[in-house]
């Protein structure tokens, strides 16, 4: 069994913060003509900017300016009711948050005691490891494959004596591996949570961006009192709104609300009011927004995957949704770290797969995480050509 102690975890966090090219910290170092395939950023053309402007005007025109006043810790009723109806849960279980990561931070602080063991995806969304610092948690990496979190490996670890307080996973269009956890495996995960007494943190920001196939069910998560289901409007209406939600099991509602009331009290009444106005005035608007986004991201995913496959350098699977590709280098002679440096010199910035490993046992270091959401098909094809030229330097 491989456990990562609190003393060793800063190495993982350093992998998220330190290397050149990850996130926004090195924007000043990049060439002006660089093609950035760095983050899961929605394209501005599919965000409902005009509709948000109209909704804002209506909200601000109402007598009393209620949207500029304090509101409830749980969130304003209209928004919670819309979310509850869409999720198929009781409205009391919905707590509005300042985006998805805030929901994860609340989950960590509500459930974990200091030093608790947490099983996490391997590879993992690295920012979650930062969130675990709130509880000084220990990390148990569990492999993520083509069908999401390896439930068989998790079960074996549990049989061997591991007792995590929580299990963290991105169940749909996983960041970075683009895989999804099938509905049957979700049921198995929940059954393990109920048997062994841990809480599942299901981080689901990409669920609505499916452009192929049938959606997996969220019912296994909502039907259990051992799951905190985290979601956000970041990938659909815009990250600048800083608005998301968690679906809580009934047993955790009082603790989570009490915790939130001792922090920032509640999310922006104004932003909640505008989004609620947007979503409730035109009941089909959200699905129209999603339709435009899905069509666009499908074209971009296919364009980038086709160009990379044609190069002969990458093993590429076209995702069923989400905002990322996870291609694997097919030539073991190519050094992945050198490729990243050479690609940067060619004017392509991306995330090295090694940044996402939460422990040993994967080939993440042979992968690239490429985000295509906010990059045109033309630039994606150019990015693939530049990556090919960069790899040619080693050939």
């Amino acid at each position: 069994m491989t456990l990562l102690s609190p003393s060793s975890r800063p190495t993982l966090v350093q992998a998220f913060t330190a290397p050149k090219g990850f996130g926004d910290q090195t924007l000043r170092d990049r060439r002006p003509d660089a093609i950035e395939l760095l983050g899961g950023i929605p394209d501005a053309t599919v965000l409902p900017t005009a509709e948000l402007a109209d909704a804002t005007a209506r909200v601000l025109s109402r007598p009393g300016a209620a949207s500029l006043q304090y509101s409830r810790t749980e969130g304003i009723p209209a928004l919670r009711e819309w979310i509850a109806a869409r999720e198929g849960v009781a409205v009391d279980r919905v707590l509005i948050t300042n985006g998805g990561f805030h929901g994860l931070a609340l989950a960590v602080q509500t459930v974990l005691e200091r030093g608790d063991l947490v099983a996490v995806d391997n590879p993992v969304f690295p920012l979650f490891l930062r969130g675990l610092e709130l509880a000084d948690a220990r990390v148990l990496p569990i492999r993520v494959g083509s069908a999401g979190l390896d439930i068989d490996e998790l079960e074996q670890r549990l049989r061997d004596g591991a007792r995590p307080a929580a299990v963290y996973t991105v169940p749909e269009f996983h960041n970075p591996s683009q895989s999804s956890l099938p509905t049957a495996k979700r049921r198995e995960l929940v059954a393990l949570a109920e048997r062994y007494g841990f809480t599942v943190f299901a981080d689901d920001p990409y669920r609505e961006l499916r452009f192929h196939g049938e959606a997996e069910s969220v019912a296994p998560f909502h039907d259990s009192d051992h799951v905190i289901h985290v979601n956000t409007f970041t990938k659909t209406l815009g990250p600048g709104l800083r608005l998301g939600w968690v679906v809580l099991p009934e047993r955790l509602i009082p603790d989570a609300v009490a915790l939130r009331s001792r922090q920032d009290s509640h999310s922006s009444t104004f932003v909640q009011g505008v989004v609620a106005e947007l979503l409730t005035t035109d009941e089909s608007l959200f699905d129209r927004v999603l339709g435009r986004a899905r069509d666009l991201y499908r074209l971009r995913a296919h364009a980038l995957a086709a160009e990379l496959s044609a190069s002969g350098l990458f093993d590429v699977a076209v995702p069923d949704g989400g905002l990322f590709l996870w291609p694997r280098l097919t030539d073991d002679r190519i050094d992945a770290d050198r490729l990243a440096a050479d690609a940067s010199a060619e004017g392509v910035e991306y995330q090295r797969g090694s940044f996402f490993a939460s422990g040993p046992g994967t080939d993440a270091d042979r992968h690239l995480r490429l985000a295509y959401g906010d990059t045109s098909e033309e630039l994606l094809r150019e990015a693939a050509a530049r990556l090919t030229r960069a790899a040619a330097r080693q050939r």
Side-chain angles (χ1 to χ4, degrees):
M1 184 183 303
T2 301
L3 299 183
L4 300 182
S5 67
S7 62
S8 67
R9 193 177 61 257
T11 302
L12 299 176
V13 177
Q14 183 180 11
F16 178 75
T17 59
K20 179 179 178 181
F22 202 108
D24 296 331
Q25 299 177 21
T26 58
L27 282 171
R28 62 184 179 277
D29 299 328
R30 297 190 188 119
R31 291 167 37 182
D33 63 340
I35 302 173
E36 298 175 3
L37 310 179
L38 291 167
I41 302 171
D43 193 272
T45 64
V46 297
L47 300 180
T49 53
E51 294 90 341
L52 280 167
D54 290 343
T56 300
R58 292 195 299 273
V59 166
L60 289 177
S61 68
R62 291 186 180 131
S67 66
L68 301 182
Q69 301 292 349
Y70 293 112
S71 58
R72 293 170 57 93
T73 295
E74 297 91 334
I76 67 171
L79 183 59
R80 295 175 70 214
E81 289 165 5
W82 185 91
I83 291 169
R86 194 166 183 92
E87 296 279 16
V89 298
V91 68
D92 289 347
R93 296 177 61 189
V94 176
L95 173 64
I96 303 300
T97 65
N98 299 325
F101 186 70
H102 183 218
L104 292 174
L106 285 172
V108 166
Q109 292 180 300
T110 299
V111 171
L112 300 184
E113 301 290 342
R114 296 194 69 80
D116 272 348
L117 179 67
V118 180
V120 304
D121 291 336
N122 187 22
V124 69
F125 167 51
L127 189 57
F128 180 69
L129 300 180
R130 281 187 178 179
L132 288 182
E133 292 182 338
L134 294 169
D136 198 26
R138 296 171 295 133
V139 175
L140 173 64
I142 302 295
R143 189 183 72 89
V144 172
S146 59
L149 185 72
D150 190 331
I151 305 303
D152 293 337
E153 179 183 338
L154 173 63
E155 184 173 15
Q156 187 59 56
R157 296 296 183 94
L158 294 167
R159 287 176 177 173
D160 289 344
R163 290 296 178 265
V167 172
Y168 168 80
T169 191
V170 178
E172 197 106 359
F173 313 128
H174 181 265
N175 178 11
S177 75
Q178 74 188 45
S179 62
S180 293
L181 188 66
T183 300
K185 290 295 182 181
R186 297 177 185 208
R187 294 193 183 100
E188 291 180 23
L189 173 60
V190 169
L192 289 174
E194 293 172 349
R195 185 188 315 165
Y196 288 95
F198 60 80
T199 301
V200 176
F201 299 159
D203 184 12
D204 221 1
Y206 311 103
R207 187 182 87 211
E208 300 278 18
L209 299 181
R210 174 176 289 275
F211 44 72
H212 292 150
E214 295 295 323
E216 302 293 347
S217 175
V218 297
F221 298 146
H222 292 165
D223 292 345
S224 174
D225 66 352
H226 283 264
V227 181
I228 297 178
H229 194 202
V230 181
N231 211 324
T232 179
F233 290 113
T234 290
K235 310 301 181 184
T236 54
L237 298 182
L241 294 171
R242 307 314 304 138
L243 197 64
W245 68 93
V246 293
V247 175
L248 295 161
E250 290 185 6
R251 66 185 178 90
L252 294 179
I253 293 171
D255 289 343
V257 173
L259 174 66
R260 182 72 192 278
S261 69
R262 287 160 175 77
Q263 296 177 342
D264 62 343
S265 184
H266 62 77
S267 297
S268 165
T269 310
F270 174 65
V271 173
Q272 290 185 72
V274 169
V275 171
E277 177 75 12
L278 178 82
L279 298 174
T280 59
T281 301
D282 183 346
E283 294 182 358
S284 66
L285 180 139
F286 191 59
D287 287 319
R288 295 200 307 273
V289 170
L290 294 178
R292 293 194 298 266
R294 291 163 179 161
D295 290 344
L296 182 67
Y297 300 148
R298 180 180 65 250
L299 292 173
R300 291 179 175 180
H302 278 266
L304 182 56
E307 292 296 322
L308 292 172
S309 295
S311 73
L313 296 171
F314 301 97
D315 181 15
V316 188
V318 178
D320 290 330
L323 296 171
F324 304 111
L325 287 187
W326 185 239
R328 187 186 188 281
L329 287 163
T330 57
D331 189 340
D332 290 340
R333 296 172 297 177
I334 295 178
D335 180 89
D337 288 335
R338 179 181 165 188
L339 177 62
D342 289 343
S344 182
E346 288 282 349
V348 177
E349 304 287 352
Y350 63 87
Q351 310 296 3
R352 281 174 271 180
S354 58
F355 294 171
F356 299 88
S358 61
T362 75
D363 62 349
D365 61 322
R366 303 303 299 163
H367 286 261
L368 291 65
R369 196 201 70 172
L370 308 178
Y372 51 77
D374 63 338
T375 305
S376 69
E377 290 181 57
E378 179 183 6
L379 285 178
L380 290 171
R381 294 189 179 95
E382 175 61 23
R386 294 182 185 185
L387 281 170
T388 301
R389 290 199 297 270
R393 296 187 184 188
Q394 296 189 49
R395 284 186 154 186

